[in-house]
Amino acid sequence: MGRRSGILEFAVLGLLRESPMHGYELRKRLNTSLGVFRAFSYGTLYPCLKTLLANGWLIEEPGNTAEEAGAASLTGRRAKIVYRLTAEGKEHFEKLLSQTGPDTYDDEHFAARFAFFGQTSRDVRMRVLEGRRSRLEERLEKMRASLARTRERLDDYTLELQRHGMESVEREVRWLNELIESERAGRDLKGPASGESAQQDTTNGATGGLPRPGNTSRPDTPGDTAM
């Protein structure tokens, strides 16, 4: 299983843990709630759903509202399929939530994991946050060393681009420091334990018990930071 497909499967399982959904609803939630999936299509989603069905982690059910049934009958189209998480799927998702290996620190995977922190235990959140911070501190050190070696050969615009990339990483490190401090103090997000609420809280500034560091309440999208 590729890394990208693994992240998508994780996110689909997490969203369906909240409630059953049509494929269209899933795609919309992935696009709007999890920014890492802004550019993906149905052609990516449905093979993922097929794999999850084959593994026994999802089941398909017909749309169950009278309005949907009537519309399908009038148009002659097949009723919309609703995807529901099975007990095995829930167990598998909880196993994925407990993982704290190096993949969870990567740009795309971290963004997806953070969106479901409301469903993640505090000790796992701490390990993921600390791993992400360590990964970025290593990246920042390499960027500074590279800039020091090449500064004299760069034109002004390339130099500013390098500085911008470093500042983006520095902002995320500061943000992570504050999140880690809050976790250690026993503070976490308030309200429903859902991936969407966690993502909205970090993007809209409504952080509940988490820090709100002024104009940098959320770092640049991890996938946009300079490598």
Side-chain angles (χ1 to χ4, degrees), residues 119-133:
Q119 302 181 40
T120 307
S121 64
R122 188 184 304 278
D123 63 322
V124 171
R125 293 198 303 261
M126 280 292 294
R127 289 198 292 272
V128 173
L129 290 171
E130 289 174 340
R132 175 65 177 174
R133 179 178 64 181

Side-chain angles (χ1 to χ4, degrees), residues 2-8 10-11 34-40 102-116 132 135 139 172 199 218 221-225 227:
R3 178 176 299 181
R4 179 75 175 181
S5 61
I7 298 170
L8 179 57
F10 171 82
L34 306 178
V36 68
F37 297 109
R38 289 190 187 103
F40 91 110
D103 283 351
T104 65
Y105 318 149
D106 291 342
D107 293 340
E108 291 185 343
H109 206 151
F110 174 76
R113 284 298 300 267
F114 190 84
F116 294 98
R132 175 65 177 174
R135 177 68 56 83
R139 182 184 301 176
E172 187 172 349
Q199 180 74 2
R218 180 178 183 273
T221 302
D224 295 337
T225 55
M227 297 297 290

Side-chain angles (χ1 to χ4, degrees), residues 131-148:
R132 175 65 177 174
R133 179 178 64 181
S134 177
R135 177 68 56 83
L136 291 183
E137 286 173 342
E138 292 174 3
R139 182 184 301 176
L140 192 57
E141 183 177 347
K142 291 178 181 178
M143 293 171 72
R144 287 170 175 162
S146 175
L147 184 61

Side-chain angles (χ1 to χ4, degrees), residues 82-96:
V82 172
Y83 297 92
R84 182 185 298 274
L85 200 63
T86 63
E88 292 80 5
K90 181 178 180 181
E91 181 180 351
H92 180 66
F93 179 68
E94 290 172 351
K95 181 180 178 181
L96 294 176

Side-chain angles (χ1 to χ4, degrees), residues 41-77:
S41 66
Y42 283 113
T44 304
L45 176 59
Y46 282 104
C48 171
L49 291 171
K50 184 177 180 180
T51 297
L52 297 177
L53 287 164
N55 288 336
W57 297 332
L58 304 182
I59 57 173
E60 291 180 331
E61 298 177 341
N64 55 8
T65 67
E67 181 180 351
E68 289 175 347
S73 176
L74 288 173
T75 60
R77 294 178 180 175

Side-chain angles (χ1 to χ4, degrees), residues 3 17 21-22 31 45 63 67 75 86 101 121 131 162 181 214-215:
R3 178 176 299 181
R17 188 186 186 191
M21 297 183 200
H22 301 305
N31 280 331
L45 176 59
E67 181 180 351
T75 60
T86 63
S121 64
Q162 294 290 322
E181 181 182 350
N215 292 332

